[in-house]
Amino acid sequence: MRTLVMLLVIGTLSVVFSQSDMVNIGTILTLKTINGRVASIAMKTAVDDINSDPNILPGKKLNLTFHDANFSGFLSIIGALKYMEADIVAVIGPQSSVMAHVLSNLANELHVPFLSFTALDPSLTPLQYPYFLQTAPNDLYQMTAIAEIVSYFGYREVTAIFTDDDQFRNTIYTLGDQLSVRRCKLSYKAPLPPDAALSPQDIHDALINVRSMESRVIVVHTYSKTGLTIFETAKSLDMMKRGYIWIATTWLSTVLDSSGISASNASLLQGVLTLRPHTPDSPKKRDFESRWKNLSNGSVGLNPYGLYAYDTVWMIAHAMDKFFNVGGKISFSNDSRLSGLKGTRGLNLGALSIFDGGKQLLANLLKTNMTGVTGPLWFNRDQSVIHPSFDVINMVGNQGLILGYWSNHSGLSTQLPETLYAKPANRSSSNQRLKSVIWPGNTNDKPRGWEFSNNGRPLRIGVPRRASFKEIVTQVNGSDEIHGFSIDVFLAAIKLIRYPVPYEFIMFGDGNKNPSYTELVNKVAYNVFDAAVGDIAIVTNRTKAVDFTQPYIESGLVVVVPIKEINSSAWAFLRPFTPLMWAVTGFFFIIVGAVVWILEHRLNDEFRGPPKQQLITILWFTLSTMFFSHRENTVSTLGRMVLFIWLFVVLIINSSYTASLTSILTVQQLSSPIRGIDSLVTTNDRIGFQVGSFAESYLMQELNIPKSRLMALGSPQEYAEKLEAGVVSAIVDERPYVDLFLSSNCRFQVVGQEFTKSGWGFAFPRDSPLAVDMSTAILTLSENGELQKIHDYWLKRKTCAKPNSDSDQLQLESFWGLFLIFGVACALALLIYFCMVFREFGKHHSEELSEPSPKSGSRSVRLQRFLSFADEKEEISKSKLKRKREMSIVNGREADSRNRSNRIQAEVVEDQL
C-alpha cells in the first residue's frame, strides 16, 4: 500500500514515497523486430525468475513495463517521457542508437539509468552520457574485428554499405579508423536512406556504384530487412559471384539464429562472412536455451541479444538489491525548471521528476560483479563490458559455420575466447588463425579483393617523353609505339598477371628536354594518371606520395670526371715513388750498408781490407740487396737480424714499385683532383646533373650545395662537351645513365663509390593492389632470368676498360712503419755491438787506462787506440790479449826470482858483517 507524504522544502516541492513493495522498471523496444521479440520474452522471463528467487530483492516485486516504439523515434521519446512521470527507477532501451543520443540527455537530467544491449554506437561515451550503459559489446569491438579479418586476408581497401543514421553512420566512421590503423582504408561509402524512406531503387543505385569501384571487399551494416534486400539485389546484379568478398555485421547472425535462412535466401548468402557476439558455454546458458522453446512457443529463436536482455534485467535487480541493503529508498523530486510546464491529453511535463537514488543506483550498476547466462558480467573503467568477443561465421547453404573467434585480448583464433582470456595476450600476426573459408561462387580460392572498375576506361599510364638516353624510354617517330628498357620490363611483368589489365600509355613531357619526374609522380598521386612507368627513381619524397613496385634495376648517384692518357717519357720508371720517397729509400740503403759493415767488420773477412775496398764493398752490398743478389755472407747474429728485416722491407718496396709502375704505364689517370663526392663537395667547382633528375634536389637539400654551383645538362653529348671544356668539373647522375654514357665516352670515368642506394620502379596510387601484383611479377622476372635478358638487350654496351682511379705515386706514408721498424732494429743492433766492443777494449787496455796521463791529448790518444782496436779483426785482438797475459806471467816469475836472489844476497852480507 502506497502512502503519499508531501514535504515542503524551500523553493522545491519534494514528493517522497514510503517504502513500496514494487520496483518499477521500463523498457522501450520495437516489438515487431527480431531483437524486440526475442528481448521481450527474455526480459519477462528474467522478471519472473527474479520475483521467484527469495535471495534477490526480498520483500520486493520487480515490475517491468513495455513501451512499443513501433520503428518511430517520436514514439520512443513519448514513451521515455511517460516513464519519467511515473516512479520508474531504470529504463531498458532504447533499441536504436538514434534515440539513445536523444534519451541519454533525459537520463542525465533526471538521473534515471538507461541500459541498452542493442544501441551500441561507439560515440555514446560515458563522459557525455554517464547515465547510459551499454550492456553488450559496443560496435567499436565489432568494427575492430572486421578490420582484423580484412587485414588477416591481406585486403587493403573496403567498401561499406550502410543505413545513414546514428545507428550505423558513426560505426562506419569507426570502421574507417580501425582499418587505417592496419594500413587499410575505407575506399568508398555507400549510404542508404533510413528504412522509412528507403526504396528498392535506392538499393539498386547504391550497388551499381559499388560495382563500379575497384574494391571487392564489401561490408554491409544495416537493419536485417534492408540487409536481405541488399543481397537479393546484389544477386540480380551478378555481385554474388566469385571474386567478391561480403562481410555482414551481426544483423545477419541475428536472422540466422532467430528466424533461420530460407532456401531462397541461402543462395543469396552463400560465402558471406558475418559476426555473432560470443557468449561462453555454461550450465546457466544451457538451462536457459533448453527453456526457450517453451518460453517462446516456437515463435522465434534465441539469439545472443536475448541473452544480454535477460542479464540486463538481472543487473538492475542486483543493483537495486544493493541499494535497499544500504538503506536506500525510492524517492523522486520535482525539477523546479519544469514547474508550470503542462502537456495536453495526459502528458504533463511538469510531472517529470528526478530519481533521488539515481547516482547510487548507477554506481551499483557499474560495480556489477556477477555471472549471467552471457558469462561473467562487470564493467571496465570506460563503462564497457569486459571480455568483448565475437564468433566469425561463414554462411554455407542455410547454415553458419564457425571459422573461429575474435577477442579483444588475442585477436583472431580458433580457440575459444574464454580460454585465451586466461592466458597472456598474443596478438602477433603468426598467432592469428581462422579455418578455411567458402567464398561467394562456392570456391575455396581466396579472392583477390579488387577488380578494375568496369566503367570502360583503361588505365592511364604516364610515360616520360625523354630527350636523352632513349634506350630507357623512346617513342617511335610518327607512331604511338613506345619502346625501351623500362617499357619492356613493364610489358613483360603485365603478361604475368593472371587477370586482364587494360591500359594506355600517355606521354608526359614536350620531348625537347627530360620532364620533371617529381611532377610525374605527383600526377599519379592526384589521379591525373593511374600509374607511371619509366626510369623513376624510388626516393623518400616520392614514396610519401605514391606506392612503388619492387625495383627492377638498382641505381644510385655517382660522380663522373675527365681522365687523360699518360704521355710517354724516358723517366716514367721514376713515377711510382715521390721524390721524398726516393730520397728516404736511398738514405736507408746507405744506412743498412753502414750498419751491416759495422756489425761484420771485426768478424767477417769480406768486410775488411783497405778503406777504398771496404767502401766499395759497402756500396755493392747495400745496392745488391735490392735484387736479393748480395754475395757477402753475414756471420754475426746482429748482422743477420738487421739484414733479415731489411730484406723484408726491400720485398715490400719492390712489390709496390712493380705494381704501381704497371698501373701507371697501362692505366689512364685522372685529370682532376676530385676523388669522389666528399672531395667534390669541398671544392667550389660547378657540377652538372641531368635535367629532370632528383640529383638536383639531393645535392641541394642533403649536401647543402648552393644552386649557383649546379648546371642542368640535357644529353650525353652535352655532358662530354662541358666536361672537356672545363665548364663543369664533374657530373652527378644515376648509375644506369652513367654506364650508358661511358660506353661511348672513354675519356671520362667514375670516381669514388655510389653515395645513394635506390632503384627504379613503377609508381601507382597509394594502396593500389596492382602495385603489389606488379611487384610479384617483377620478382618472377628476376628469378627466371627474363629481367636480365631485357637489361642486356637495352643497356649492355661495349664498355671501356675500367680505370683504377686510385693509382698514383706511392707516398712515404705508406711505408714509414717499415722504415721505422728497420731503423729501430739497426739502432738496437749498433748499441749492443758497441757495448760488446767497449767491453773487449776495456779488457785489452785496462792498465793503460789506469795509468795517469797528461790531460791534453789523452782523449785523442784513447780515441785513436779505440778506433785502432775496433778496426782490428777480432781474432788478432784475442791473440794479442793472450800474449799479453802470457808475458805478464813470465815477467812476474822473473821478478820473483830477482827478489829471492836479492834477499839471499842480503842475508849473506848480513852474515859477513
Side-chain angles (χ1 to χ4, degrees), residues 122 143 160-163 168-177 179 186 189 219-221 249:
M143 295 302 108
I161 304 174
F162 62 98
T163 298
F168 302 102
R169 184 192 310 112
N170 294 335
T171 302
I172 291 300
Y173 292 149
T174 301
L175 174 61
D177 294 340
L179 287 170
L186 190 59
K189 296 189 287 286
V219 174
V220 180
H221 188 43
T249 52

mmCIF file with all atom_site columns, all heavy atoms in Angstrom, residues 122 143 160-163 168-177 179 186 189 219-221 249:
data_model
loop_
_atom_site.group_PDB
_atom_site.id
_atom_site.type_symbol
_atom_site.label_atom_id
_atom_site.label_alt_id
_atom_site.label_comp_id
_atom_site.label_asym_id
_atom_site.label_entity_id
_atom_site.label_seq_id
_atom_site.pdbx_PDB_ins_code
_atom_site.Cartn_x
_atom_site.Cartn_y
_atom_site.Cartn_z
_atom_site.occupancy
_atom_site.B_iso_or_equiv
_atom_site.pdbx_formal_charge
_atom_site.auth_seq_id
_atom_site.auth_comp_id
_atom_site.auth_asym_id
_atom_site.auth_atom_id
_atom_site.pdbx_PDB_model_num
ATOM 1   N N   . PRO A 1 122 ? 29.548 3.537  -30.849 1.00 0.00 ? 122 PRO A N   1
ATOM 2   C CA  . PRO A 1 122 ? 30.736 3.834  -30.034 1.00 0.00 ? 122 PRO A CA  1
ATOM 3   C C   . PRO A 1 122 ? 30.816 5.279  -29.560 1.00 0.00 ? 122 PRO A C   1
ATOM 4   O O   . PRO A 1 122 ? 31.532 5.586  -28.617 1.00 0.00 ? 122 PRO A O   1
ATOM 5   C CB  . PRO A 1 122 ? 31.900 3.514  -30.986 1.00 0.00 ? 122 PRO A CB  1
ATOM 6   C CG  . PRO A 1 122 ? 31.331 2.637  -32.033 1.00 0.00 ? 122 PRO A CG  1
ATOM 7   C CD  . PRO A 1 122 ? 29.910 3.050  -32.181 1.00 0.00 ? 122 PRO A CD  1
ATOM 8   N N   . MET A 1 143 ? 33.674 -3.475 -35.172 1.00 0.00 ? 143 MET A N   1
ATOM 9   C CA  . MET A 1 143 ? 34.419 -2.903 -36.298 1.00 0.00 ? 143 MET A CA  1
ATOM 10  C C   . MET A 1 143 ? 35.907 -3.277 -36.224 1.00 0.00 ? 143 MET A C   1
ATOM 11  O O   . MET A 1 143 ? 36.555 -3.470 -37.247 1.00 0.00 ? 143 MET A O   1
ATOM 12  C CB  . MET A 1 143 ? 34.260 -1.391 -36.320 1.00 0.00 ? 143 MET A CB  1
ATOM 13  C CG  . MET A 1 143 ? 32.843 -0.921 -36.595 1.00 0.00 ? 143 MET A CG  1
ATOM 14  S SD  . MET A 1 143 ? 32.164 -1.534 -38.170 1.00 0.00 ? 143 MET A SD  1
ATOM 15  C CE  . MET A 1 143 ? 30.959 -2.749 -37.575 1.00 0.00 ? 143 MET A CE  1
ATOM 16  N N   . ALA A 1 160 ? 31.829 0.154  -47.924 1.00 0.00 ? 160 ALA A N   1
ATOM 17  C CA  . ALA A 1 160 ? 30.805 -0.038 -46.893 1.00 0.00 ? 160 ALA A CA  1
ATOM 18  C C   . ALA A 1 160 ? 29.443 0.392  -47.419 1.00 0.00 ? 160 ALA A C   1
ATOM 19  O O   . ALA A 1 160 ? 29.304 1.473  -48.002 1.00 0.00 ? 160 ALA A O   1
ATOM 20  C CB  . ALA A 1 160 ? 31.154 0.760  -45.643 1.00 0.00 ? 160 ALA A CB  1
ATOM 21  N N   . ILE A 1 161 ? 28.437 -0.462 -47.221 1.00 0.00 ? 161 ILE A N   1
ATOM 22  C CA  . ILE A 1 161 ? 27.039 -0.126 -47.494 1.00 0.00 ? 161 ILE A CA  1
ATOM 23  C C   . ILE A 1 161 ? 26.343 -0.056 -46.135 1.00 0.00 ? 161 ILE A C   1
ATOM 24  O O   . ILE A 1 161 ? 26.389 -1.018 -45.365 1.00 0.00 ? 161 ILE A O   1
ATOM 25  C CB  . ILE A 1 161 ? 26.370 -1.190 -48.386 1.00 0.00 ? 161 ILE A CB  1
ATOM 26  C CG1 . ILE A 1 161 ? 27.154 -1.368 -49.692 1.00 0.00 ? 161 ILE A CG1 1
ATOM 27  C CG2 . ILE A 1 161 ? 24.930 -0.824 -48.675 1.00 0.00 ? 161 ILE A CG2 1
ATOM 28  C CD1 . ILE A 1 161 ? 26.635 -2.511 -50.567 1.00 0.00 ? 161 ILE A CD1 1
ATOM 29  N N   . PHE A 1 162 ? 25.701 1.065  -45.850 1.00 0.00 ? 162 PHE A N   1
ATOM 30  C CA  . PHE A 1 162 ? 25.141 1.234  -44.502 1.00 0.00 ? 162 PHE A CA  1
ATOM 31  C C   . PHE A 1 162 ? 23.931 2.154  -44.546 1.00 0.00 ? 162 PHE A C   1
ATOM 32  O O   . PHE A 1 162 ? 23.761 2.960  -45.473 1.00 0.00 ? 162 PHE A O   1
ATOM 33  C CB  . PHE A 1 162 ? 26.187 1.814  -43.559 1.00 0.00 ? 162 PHE A CB  1
ATOM 34  C CG  . PHE A 1 162 ? 26.680 3.182  -43.944 1.00 0.00 ? 162 PHE A CG  1
ATOM 35  C CD1 . PHE A 1 162 ? 26.164 4.327  -43.352 1.00 0.00 ? 162 PHE A CD1 1
ATOM 36  C CD2 . PHE A 1 162 ? 27.644 3.340  -44.935 1.00 0.00 ? 162 PHE A CD2 1
ATOM 37  C CE1 . PHE A 1 162 ? 26.612 5.590  -43.724 1.00 0.00 ? 162 PHE A CE1 1
ATOM 38  C CE2 . PHE A 1 162 ? 28.100 4.591  -45.301 1.00 0.00 ? 162 PHE A CE2 1
ATOM 39  C CZ  . PHE A 1 162 ? 27.580 5.717  -44.700 1.00 0.00 ? 162 PHE A CZ  1
ATOM 40  N N   . THR A 1 163 ? 23.108 2.016  -43.550 1.00 0.00 ? 163 THR A N   1
ATOM 41  C CA  . THR A 1 163 ? 21.974 2.920  -43.375 1.00 0.00 ? 163 THR A CA  1
ATOM 42  C C   . THR A 1 163 ? 22.484 4.214  -42.752 1.00 0.00 ? 163 THR A C   1
ATOM 43  O O   . THR A 1 163 ? 23.182 4.192  -41.733 1.00 0.00 ? 163 THR A O   1
ATOM 44  C CB  . THR A 1 163 ? 20.910 2.281  -42.478 1.00 0.00 ? 163 THR A CB  1
ATOM 45  O OG1 . THR A 1 163 ? 20.422 1.089  -43.110 1.00 0.00 ? 163 THR A OG1 1
ATOM 46  C CG2 . THR A 1 163 ? 19.755 3.245  -42.240 1.00 0.00 ? 163 THR A CG2 1
ATOM 47  N N   . PHE A 1 168 ? 24.126 3.500  -37.462 1.00 0.00 ? 168 PHE A N   1
ATOM 48  C CA  . PHE A 1 168 ? 25.130 2.845  -38.297 1.00 0.00 ? 168 PHE A CA  1
ATOM 49  C C   . PHE A 1 168 ? 26.217 3.798  -38.797 1.00 0.00 ? 168 PHE A C   1
ATOM 50  O O   . PHE A 1 168 ? 27.350 3.385  -39.028 1.00 0.00 ? 168 PHE A O   1
ATOM 51  C CB  . PHE A 1 168 ? 24.446 2.192  -39.498 1.00 0.00 ? 168 PHE A CB  1
ATOM 52  C CG  . PHE A 1 168 ? 23.391 1.187  -39.120 1.00 0.00 ? 168 PHE A CG  1
ATOM 53  C CD1 . PHE A 1 168 ? 22.047 1.519  -39.176 1.00 0.00 ? 168 PHE A CD1 1
ATOM 54  C CD2 . PHE A 1 168 ? 23.753 -0.074 -38.673 1.00 0.00 ? 168 PHE A CD2 1
ATOM 55  C CE1 . PHE A 1 168 ? 21.072 0.597  -38.807 1.00 0.00 ? 168 PHE A CE1 1
ATOM 56  C CE2 . PHE A 1 168 ? 22.784 -0.996 -38.304 1.00 0.00 ? 168 PHE A CE2 1
ATOM 57  C CZ  . PHE A 1 168 ? 21.435 -0.669 -38.369 1.00 0.00 ? 168 PHE A CZ  1
ATOM 58  N N   . ARG A 1 169 ? 25.880 5.088  -38.990 1.00 0.00 ? 169 ARG A N   1
ATOM 59  C CA  . ARG A 1 169 ? 26.840 6.012  -39.576 1.00 0.00 ? 169 ARG A CA  1
ATOM 60  C C   . ARG A 1 169 ? 28.106 6.138  -38.727 1.00 0.00 ? 169 ARG A C   1
ATOM 61  O O   . ARG A 1 169 ? 29.233 6.026  -39.237 1.00 0.00 ? 169 ARG A O   1
ATOM 62  C CB  . ARG A 1 169 ? 26.215 7.385  -39.749 1.00 0.00 ? 169 ARG A CB  1
ATOM 63  C CG  . ARG A 1 169 ? 27.111 8.398  -40.436 1.00 0.00 ? 169 ARG A CG  1
ATOM 64  C CD  . ARG A 1 169 ? 26.571 9.811  -40.333 1.00 0.00 ? 169 ARG A CD  1
ATOM 65  N NE  . ARG A 1 169 ? 25.176 9.902  -40.725 1.00 0.00 ? 169 ARG A NE  1
ATOM 66  C CZ  . ARG A 1 169 ? 24.181 10.189 -39.861 1.00 0.00 ? 169 ARG A CZ  1
ATOM 67  N NH1 . ARG A 1 169 ? 24.460 10.410 -38.584 1.00 0.00 ? 169 ARG A NH1 1
ATOM 68  N NH2 . ARG A 1 169 ? 22.936 10.256 -40.263 1.00 0.00 ? 169 ARG A NH2 1
ATOM 69  N N   . ASN A 1 170 ? 27.939 6.377  -37.437 1.00 0.00 ? 170 ASN A N   1
ATOM 70  C CA  . ASN A 1 170 ? 29.108 6.550  -36.573 1.00 0.00 ? 170 ASN A CA  1
ATOM 71  C C   . ASN A 1 170 ? 29.959 5.284  -36.502 1.00 0.00 ? 170 ASN A C   1
ATOM 72  O O   . ASN A 1 170 ? 31.185 5.342  -36.370 1.00 0.00 ? 170 ASN A O   1
ATOM 73  C CB  . ASN A 1 170 ? 28.659 6.952  -35.169 1.00 0.00 ? 170 ASN A CB  1
ATOM 74  C CG  . ASN A 1 170 ? 28.009 8.324  -35.146 1.00 0.00 ? 170 ASN A CG  1
ATOM 75  O OD1 . ASN A 1 170 ? 28.278 9.151  -36.009 1.00 0.00 ? 170 ASN A OD1 1
ATOM 76  N ND2 . ASN A 1 170 ? 27.137 8.562  -34.173 1.00 0.00 ? 170 ASN A ND2 1
ATOM 77  N N   . THR A 1 171 ? 29.290 4.149  -36.599 1.00 0.00 ? 171 THR A N   1
ATOM 78  C CA  . THR A 1 171 ? 30.025 2.883  -36.567 1.00 0.00 ? 171 THR A CA  1
ATOM 79  C C   . THR A 1 171 ? 30.893 2.723  -37.807 1.00 0.00 ? 171 THR A C   1
ATOM 80  O O   . THR A 1 171 ? 32.019 2.207  -37.728 1.00 0.00 ? 171 THR A O   1
ATOM 81  C CB  . THR A 1 171 ? 29.038 1.710  -36.460 1.00 0.00 ? 171 THR A CB  1
ATOM 82  O OG1 . THR A 1 171 ? 28.255 1.871  -35.281 1.00 0.00 ? 171 THR A OG1 1
ATOM 83  C CG2 . THR A 1 171 ? 29.773 0.387  -36.377 1.00 0.00 ? 171 THR A CG2 1
ATOM 84  N N   . ILE A 1 172 ? 30.415 3.176  -38.949 1.00 0.00 ? 172 ILE A N   1
ATOM 85  C CA  . ILE A 1 172 ? 31.202 3.098  -40.184 1.00 0.00 ? 172 ILE A CA  1
ATOM 86  C C   . ILE A 1 172 ? 32.426 3.997  -40.088 1.00 0.00 ? 172 ILE A C   1
ATOM 87  O O   . ILE A 1 172 ? 33.525 3.654  -40.563 1.00 0.00 ? 172 ILE A O   1
ATOM 88  C CB  . ILE A 1 172 ? 30.333 3.457  -41.399 1.00 0.00 ? 172 ILE A CB  1
ATOM 89  C CG1 . ILE A 1 172 ? 29.291 2.355  -41.627 1.00 0.00 ? 172 ILE A CG1 1
ATOM 90  C CG2 . ILE A 1 172 ? 31.187 3.636  -42.643 1.00 0.00 ? 172 ILE A CG2 1
ATOM 91  C CD1 . ILE A 1 172 ? 29.869 0.981  -41.903 1.00 0.00 ? 172 ILE A CD1 1
ATOM 92  N N   . TYR A 1 173 ? 32.271 5.169  -39.468 1.00 0.00 ? 173 TYR A N   1
ATOM 93  C CA  . TYR A 1 173 ? 33.444 6.015  -39.245 1.00 0.00 ? 173 TYR A CA  1
ATOM 94  C C   . TYR A 1 173 ? 34.472 5.290  -38.380 1.00 0.00 ? 173 TYR A C   1
ATOM 95  O O   . TYR A 1 173 ? 35.684 5.380  -38.610 1.00 0.00 ? 173 TYR A O   1
ATOM 96  C CB  . TYR A 1 173 ? 33.026 7.326  -38.572 1.00 0.00 ? 173 TYR A CB  1
ATOM 97  C CG  . TYR A 1 173 ? 32.191 8.230  -39.455 1.00 0.00 ? 173 TYR A CG  1
ATOM 98  C CD1 . TYR A 1 173 ? 31.237 9.081  -38.907 1.00 0.00 ? 173 TYR A CD1 1
ATOM 99  C CD2 . TYR A 1 173 ? 32.367 8.228  -40.830 1.00 0.00 ? 173 TYR A CD2 1
ATOM 100 C CE1 . TYR A 1 173 ? 30.470 9.918  -39.716 1.00 0.00 ? 173 TYR A CE1 1
ATOM 101 C CE2 . TYR A 1 173 ? 31.606 9.048  -41.647 1.00 0.00 ? 173 TYR A CE2 1
ATOM 102 C CZ  . TYR A 1 173 ? 30.655 9.896  -41.080 1.00 0.00 ? 173 TYR A CZ  1
ATOM 103 O OH  . TYR A 1 173 ? 29.898 10.706 -41.894 1.00 0.00 ? 173 TYR A OH  1
ATOM 104 N N   . THR A 1 174 ? 33.979 4.584  -37.396 1.00 0.00 ? 174 THR A N   1
ATOM 105 C CA  . THR A 1 174 ? 34.874 3.798  -36.537 1.00 0.00 ? 174 THR A CA  1
ATOM 106 C C   . THR A 1 174 ? 35.579 2.714  -37.338 1.00 0.00 ? 174 THR A C   1
ATOM 107 O O   . THR A 1 174 ? 36.771 2.453  -37.136 1.00 0.00 ? 174 THR A O   1
ATOM 108 C CB  . THR A 1 174 ? 34.078 3.156  -35.384 1.00 0.00 ? 174 THR A CB  1
ATOM 109 O OG1 . THR A 1 174 ? 33.438 4.185  -34.627 1.00 0.00 ? 174 THR A OG1 1
ATOM 110 C CG2 . THR A 1 174 ? 34.990 2.358  -34.464 1.00 0.00 ? 174 THR A CG2 1
ATOM 111 N N   . LEU A 1 175 ? 34.864 2.080  -38.271 1.00 0.00 ? 175 LEU A N   1
ATOM 112 C CA  . LEU A 1 175 ? 35.480 1.073  -39.134 1.00 0.00 ? 175 LEU A CA  1
ATOM 113 C C   . LEU A 1 175 ? 36.619 1.691  -39.941 1.00 0.00 ? 175 LEU A C   1
ATOM 114 O O   . LEU A 1 175 ? 37.697 1.087  -40.071 1.00 0.00 ? 175 LEU A O   1
ATOM 115 C CB  . LEU A 1 175 ? 34.432 0.471  -40.062 1.00 0.00 ? 175 LEU A CB  1
ATOM 116 C CG  . LEU A 1 175 ? 34.958 -0.502 -41.136 1.00 0.00 ? 175 LEU A CG  1
ATOM 117 C CD1 . LEU A 1 175 ? 35.626 -1.704 -40.489 1.00 0.00 ? 175 LEU A CD1 1
ATOM 118 C CD2 . LEU A 1 175 ? 33.829 -0.938 -42.071 1.00 0.00 ? 175 LEU A CD2 1
ATOM 119 N N   . GLY A 1 176 ? 36.392 2.884  -40.474 1.00 0.00 ? 176 GLY A N   1
ATOM 120 C CA  . GLY A 1 176 ? 37.456 3.545  -41.225 1.00 0.00 ? 176 GLY A CA  1
ATOM 121 C C   . GLY A 1 176 ? 38.684 3.788  -40.373 1.00 0.00 ? 176 GLY A C   1
ATOM 122 O O   . GLY A 1 176 ? 39.824 3.597  -40.834 1.00 0.00 ? 176 GLY A O   1
ATOM 123 N N   . ASP A 1 177 ? 38.477 4.196  -39.125 1.00 0.00 ? 177 ASP A N   1
ATOM 124 C CA  . ASP A 1 177 ? 39.618 4.424  -38.224 1.00 0.00 ? 177 ASP A CA  1
ATOM 125 C C   . ASP A 1 177 ? 40.368 3.134  -37.947 1.00 0.00 ? 177 ASP A C   1
ATOM 126 O O   . ASP A 1 177 ? 41.610 3.107  -37.958 1.00 0.00 ? 177 ASP A O   1
ATOM 127 C CB  . ASP A 1 177 ? 39.124 5.034  -36.904 1.00 0.00 ? 177 ASP A CB  1
ATOM 128 C CG  . ASP A 1 177 ? 38.555 6.429  -37.086 1.00 0.00 ? 177 ASP A CG  1
ATOM 129 O OD1 . ASP A 1 177 ? 38.872 7.058  -38.109 1.00 0.00 ? 177 ASP A OD1 1
ATOM 130 O OD2 . ASP A 1 177 ? 37.771 6.870  -36.220 1.00 0.00 ? 177 ASP A OD2 1
ATOM 131 N N   . LEU A 1 179 ? 40.491 0.443  -39.784 1.00 0.00 ? 179 LEU A N   1
ATOM 132 C CA  . LEU A 1 179 ? 41.181 -0.018 -40.995 1.00 0.00 ? 179 LEU A CA  1
ATOM 133 C C   . LEU A 1 179 ? 42.482 0.753  -41.204 1.00 0.00 ? 179 LEU A C   1
ATOM 134 O O   . LEU A 1 179 ? 43.511 0.175  -41.564 1.00 0.00 ? 179 LEU A O   1
ATOM 135 C CB  . LEU A 1 179 ? 40.269 0.153  -42.210 1.00 0.00 ? 179 LEU A CB  1
ATOM 136 C CG  . LEU A 1 179 ? 39.102 -0.827 -42.337 1.00 0.00 ? 179 LEU A CG  1
ATOM 137 C CD1 . LEU A 1 179 ? 38.157 -0.388 -43.446 1.00 0.00 ? 179 LEU A CD1 1
ATOM 138 C CD2 . LEU A 1 179 ? 39.590 -2.246 -42.602 1.00 0.00 ? 179 LEU A CD2 1
ATOM 139 N N   . LEU A 1 186 ? 39.008 2.605  -45.945 1.00 0.00 ? 186 LEU A N   1
ATOM 140 C CA  . LEU A 1 186 ? 37.625 2.544  -46.392 1.00 0.00 ? 186 LEU A CA  1
ATOM 141 C C   . LEU A 1 186 ? 37.541 3.405  -47.644 1.00 0.00 ? 186 LEU A C   1
ATOM 142 O O   . LEU A 1 186 ? 37.433 4.625  -47.580 1.00 0.00 ? 186 LEU A O   1
ATOM 143 C CB  . LEU A 1 186 ? 36.708 3.077  -45.286 1.00 0.00 ? 186 LEU A CB  1
ATOM 144 C CG  . LEU A 1 186 ? 35.210 2.889  -45.458 1.00 0.00 ? 186 LEU A CG  1
ATOM 145 C CD1 . LEU A 1 186 ? 34.858 1.408  -45.592 1.00 0.00 ? 186 LEU A CD1 1
ATOM 146 C CD2 . LEU A 1 186 ? 34.461 3.506  -44.292 1.00 0.00 ? 186 LEU A CD2 1
ATOM 147 N N   . LYS A 1 189 ? 32.121 4.736  -49.447 1.00 0.00 ? 189 LYS A N   1
ATOM 148 C CA  . LYS A 1 189 ? 30.956 4.551  -48.570 1.00 0.00 ? 189 LYS A CA  1
ATOM 149 C C   . LYS A 1 189 ? 29.693 4.755  -49.387 1.00 0.00 ? 189 LYS A C   1
ATOM 150 O O   . LYS A 1 189 ? 29.556 5.737  -50.118 1.00 0.00 ? 189 LYS A O   1
ATOM 151 C CB  . LYS A 1 189 ? 30.997 5.534  -47.399 1.00 0.00 ? 189 LYS A CB  1
ATOM 152 C CG  . LYS A 1 189 ? 32.170 5.334  -46.461 1.00 0.00 ? 189 LYS A CG  1
ATOM 153 C CD  . LYS A 1 189 ? 32.051 6.168  -45.210 1.00 0.00 ? 189 LYS A CD  1
ATOM 154 C CE  . LYS A 1 189 ? 32.313 7.637  -45.462 1.00 0.00 ? 189 LYS A CE  1
ATOM 155 N NZ  . LYS A 1 189 ? 33.744 7.918  -45.673 1.00 0.00 ? 189 LYS A NZ  1
ATOM 156 N N   . VAL A 1 219 ? 31.378 -4.415 -46.905 1.00 0.00 ? 219 VAL A N   1
ATOM 157 C CA  . VAL A 1 219 ? 30.802 -4.578 -45.566 1.00 0.00 ? 219 VAL A CA  1
ATOM 158 C C   . VAL A 1 219 ? 29.383 -4.036 -45.587 1.00 0.00 ? 219 VAL A C   1
ATOM 159 O O   . VAL A 1 219 ? 29.153 -2.894 -46.036 1.00 0.00 ? 219 VAL A O   1
ATOM 160 C CB  . VAL A 1 219 ? 31.648 -3.846 -44.510 1.00 0.00 ? 219 VAL A CB  1
ATOM 161 C CG1 . VAL A 1 219 ? 30.965 -3.897 -43.146 1.00 0.00 ? 219 VAL A CG1 1
ATOM 162 C CG2 . VAL A 1 219 ? 33.041 -4.453 -44.425 1.00 0.00 ? 219 VAL A CG2 1
ATOM 163 N N   . VAL A 1 220 ? 28.422 -4.833 -45.112 1.00 0.00 ? 220 VAL A N   1
ATOM 164 C CA  . VAL A 1 220 ? 27.012 -4.429 -45.071 1.00 0.00 ? 220 VAL A CA  1
ATOM 165 C C   . VAL A 1 220 ? 26.615 -4.240 -43.617 1.00 0.00 ? 220 VAL A C   1
ATOM 166 O O   . VAL A 1 220 ? 26.613 -5.192 -42.830 1.00 0.00 ? 220 VAL A O   1
ATOM 167 C CB  . VAL A 1 220 ? 26.104 -5.478 -45.747 1.00 0.00 ? 220 VAL A CB  1
ATOM 168 C CG1 . VAL A 1 220 ? 24.644 -5.031 -45.690 1.00 0.00 ? 220 VAL A CG1 1
ATOM 169 C CG2 . VAL A 1 220 ? 26.531 -5.709 -47.188 1.00 0.00 ? 220 VAL A CG2 1
ATOM 170 N N   . HIS A 1 221 ? 26.293 -2.985 -43.262 1.00 0.00 ? 221 HIS A N   1
ATOM 171 C CA  . HIS A 1 221 ? 25.950 -2.652 -41.869 1.00 0.00 ? 221 HIS A CA  1
ATOM 172 C C   . HIS A 1 221 ? 24.612 -1.916 -41.883 1.00 0.00 ? 221 HIS A C   1
ATOM 173 O O   . HIS A 1 221 ? 24.540 -0.729 -42.172 1.00 0.00 ? 221 HIS A O   1
ATOM 174 C CB  . HIS A 1 221 ? 27.058 -1.778 -41.276 1.00 0.00 ? 221 HIS A CB  1
ATOM 175 C CG  . HIS A 1 221 ? 26.914 -1.542 -39.799 1.00 0.00 ? 221 HIS A CG  1
ATOM 176 N ND1 . HIS A 1 221 ? 26.580 -2.539 -38.912 1.00 0.00 ? 221 HIS A ND1 1
ATOM 177 C CD2 . HIS A 1 221 ? 27.079 -0.401 -39.060 1.00 0.00 ? 221 HIS A CD2 1
ATOM 178 C CE1 . HIS A 1 221 ? 26.554 -2.043 -37.690 1.00 0.00 ? 221 HIS A CE1 1
ATOM 179 N NE2 . HIS A 1 221 ? 26.842 -0.738 -37.756 1.00 0.00 ? 221 HIS A NE2 1
ATOM 180 N N   . THR A 1 249 ? 27.464 -7.484 -40.791 1.00 0.00 ? 249 THR A N   1
ATOM 181 C CA  . THR A 1 249 ? 27.614 -7.317 -39.343 1.00 0.00 ? 249 THR A CA  1
ATOM 182 C C   . THR A 1 249 ? 26.628 -8.240 -38.627 1.00 0.00 ? 249 THR A C   1
ATOM 183 O O   . THR A 1 249 ? 26.019 -9.121 -39.244 1.00 0.00 ? 249 THR A O   1
ATOM 184 C CB  . THR A 1 249 ? 27.423 -5.845 -38.952 1.00 0.00 ? 249 THR A CB  1
ATOM 185 O OG1 . THR A 1 249 ? 26.196 -5.359 -39.504 1.00 0.00 ? 249 THR A OG1 1
ATOM 186 C CG2 . THR A 1 249 ? 28.572 -5.005 -39.505 1.00 0.00 ? 249 THR A CG2 1
#
